[in-house]
Amino acid sequence: MASTTLICDTQPWKDLKAHTEDIKKTHLRDLMNDKERCESMMVEFDGMFLDYSRQCATLETIDKLYKLAEAASLKQQINRMYSGEHINSTENRSVLHVALRAPRDAVINSDGKNVVPDVWNVLDKIKDFSEKVRNGSWVGATGKPLKDVIAIGIGGSFLGPLFVHAALQTDPEAVEFAKGRQLRFLANVDPIDVARNIAGLNPETTLVVVVSKTFTTAETMLNARTLREWISSALGPSAVAKHMVAVSTNLTLVEKFGIDPNNAFAFWDWVGG
Ligand SMILES: O=P(O)(O)OC[C@H]1O[C@H](O)[C@H](O)[C@@H](O)[C@@H]1O
């Protein structure tokens, strides 16, 4: 049940607010001298190390934050999310991005259906396709392997892929695999940006990935049509099926656009856009 009390009207919020005034008087240098405090602000899990000791916070702050989380029913809200309740009340839908990284045997229901098998079908399809592109067995319209990628998308459909790209830029294995390849992002409708994106790329060896939850976003669709024209004017309209793929919830529009449904990687309404 959603509470009608605003979080800022609760006692734990007021306590935390008063506490922040106190903590401002203490220098971080002094906080860092407290060994017990520093040790309890470091955690390790599954090879990941989190050190949050360099925050203006004491153990008392953490305790107050926990009390606030309790007042906000954070645990219950997390459980509601995992059980597929429509916690996105404005869009009346589940919020299940957690299902995208769930193990194969997990059961996560949305509207009475376990969504995990569908997720894994798409993940396997993505892996299969990307491996073919990487090992050169997927070839373009003129028989050449595809080495460069242009990702079209705006908002979340740009920032998500960009985030992964940024994260992998310092991973030695990813750097090795990316040698000789370019990944470019087309995320606005400035014609100069289109020109910059395709400069130096050959349509014969380029893969275009259109990422759009709705497949109706004006900027993305304009850029997708521009690059469809770039490909088909150089290689003929049938080349689109070899050189363009999509990631979307709207597979009907993807197919209408001319992308082969076999190369459309689905996701679902319950993934935030
Ligand atoms: O993924 P799409 O449907 O193309 O939407 C792309 C973006 O469109 C708008 O800017 C929305 O505010 C964003 O939340 C969304 O990520």
Side-chain angles (χ1 to χ4, degrees), residues 12 17 23 36 43 62 66 71 73 78 88-89 116 135 137 145 172 226 242 249 269 272:
K17 208 168 165 208
I23 203 119
E36 191 203 339
V43 275
I62 304 298
Y66 273 118
S73 310
I78 292 172
N88 182 333
S89 53
V116 178
N135 67 26
S137 61
T226 307
K242 287 275 172 199
T249 59
D269 188 44

Side-chain angles (χ1 to χ4, degrees), residues 170-228:
T170 48
D171 178 85
E173 201 183 337
V175 170
E176 190 56 36
F177 280 123
K179 269 190 187 146
R181 299 180 179 276
Q182 295 188 54
L183 169 60
R184 298 182 181 179
F185 291 97
L186 189 46
N188 69 58
V189 277
D190 181 349
I192 302 293
D193 207 29
V194 176
R196 247 198 314 242
N197 249 273
I198 57 177
L201 297 189
N202 181 351
E204 281 183 283
T205 51
T206 302
L207 174 72
V208 176
V209 185
V210 186
V211 188
S212 176
K213 181 172 179 181
T214 56
F215 222 71
T216 57
T217 307
E219 297 88 332
T220 298
M221 296 324 296
L222 176 61
N223 284 332
R225 286 194 297 273
T226 307
L227 288 207
R228 182 178 60 186

Side-chain angles (χ1 to χ4, degrees), residues 74-105:
L74 184 65
K75 261 195 185 154
Q76 292 89 320
Q77 300 291 4
I78 292 172
N79 290 339
R80 290 181 65 208
M81 179 179 76
Y82 271 91
S83 58
E85 280 188 45
H86 287 199
I87 59 168
N88 182 333
S89 53
T90 51
E91 295 177 32
N92 188 27
R93 62 166 178 81
S94 317
V95 179
L96 284 179
H97 46 280
V98 285
L100 299 181
R101 41 185 186 266
R104 278 186 200 268
D105 57 357

Side-chain angles (χ1 to χ4, degrees), residues 8-248:
C8 57
D9 290 335
T10 62
Q11 195 55 43
W13 178 280
K14 288 173 191 161
D15 290 349
L16 189 63
K17 208 168 165 208
H19 170 76
T20 56
E21 293 308 315
D22 276 355
I23 203 119
K24 274 183 197 154
K25 296 171 201 149
T26 320
H27 197 282
L28 181 61
R29 199 182 304 118
D30 298 319
L31 293 176
M32 292 305 292
N33 281 335
D34 182 342
K35 195 164 173 268
E36 191 203 339
R37 170 196 168 274
C38 291
E39 279 174 4
S40 25
M41 289 186 171
M42 292 176 198
V43 275
E44 198 174 355
F45 179 75
D46 210 10
M48 288 205 332
F49 183 69
L50 173 66
D51 175 359
Y52 57 101
S53 62
R54 284 157 183 79
Q55 301 293 324
C56 273
T58 60
L59 296 179
E60 197 188 339
T61 322
I62 304 298
D63 185 54
K64 290 190 183 311
L65 280 167
Y66 273 118
K67 293 212 166 83
L68 182 66
E70 254 168 54
S73 310
L74 184 65
K75 261 195 185 154
Q76 292 89 320
Q77 300 291 4
I78 292 172
N79 290 339
R80 290 181 65 208
M81 179 179 76
Y82 271 91
S83 58
E85 280 188 45
H86 287 199
I87 59 168
N88 182 333
S89 53
T90 51
E91 295 177 32
N92 188 27
R93 62 166 178 81
S94 317
V95 179
L96 284 179
H97 46 280
V98 285
L100 299 181
R101 41 185 186 266
R104 278 186 200 268
D105 57 357
V107 176
I108 299 182
N109 289 310
S110 174
D111 299 322
K113 183 182 181 231
N114 179 16
V115 297
V116 178
D118 287 349
V119 169
W120 275 97
N121 277 341
V122 176
L123 290 177
D124 288 338
K125 196 173 163 184
I126 292 173
K127 189 155 190 252
D128 185 53
F129 179 78
S130 53
E131 268 172 10
K132 279 189 196 144
V133 171
R134 267 192 228 115
N135 67 26
S137 61
W138 180 274
V139 292
T142 57
K144 293 183 181 167
L146 307 182
K147 67 179 184 63
D148 301 315
V149 176
I150 300 179
I152 301 177
I154 70 160
S157 295
F158 160 54
L159 294 168
L162 181 72
F163 175 84
V164 175
H165 177 58
L168 292 177
Q169 262 174 337
T170 48
D171 178 85
E173 201 183 337
V175 170
E176 190 56 36
F177 280 123
K179 269 190 187 146
R181 299 180 179 276
Q182 295 188 54
L183 169 60
R184 298 182 181 179
F185 291 97
L186 189 46
N188 69 58
V189 277
D190 181 349
I192 302 293
D193 207 29
V194 176
R196 247 198 314 242
N197 249 273
I198 57 177
L201 297 189
N202 181 351
E204 281 183 283
T205 51
T206 302
L207 174 72
V208 176
V209 185
V210 186
V211 188
S212 176
K213 181 172 179 181
T214 56
F215 222 71
T216 57
T217 307
E219 297 88 332
T220 298
M221 296 324 296
L222 176 61
N223 284 332
R225 286 194 297 273
T226 307
L227 288 207
R228 182 178 60 186
E229 181 54 27
W230 179 64
I231 287 162
S232 55
S233 62
L235 308 169
S238 63
V240 170
K242 287 275 172 199
H243 292 262
M244 288 187 94
V245 302
V247 183
S248 185

Side-chain angles (χ1 to χ4, degrees), residues 254-269:
V254 169
E255 193 172 355
K256 262 196 192 154
F257 180 86
I259 288 174
D260 184 344
N262 291 317
N263 303 329
F265 305 102
F267 62 104
W268 304 269
D269 188 44

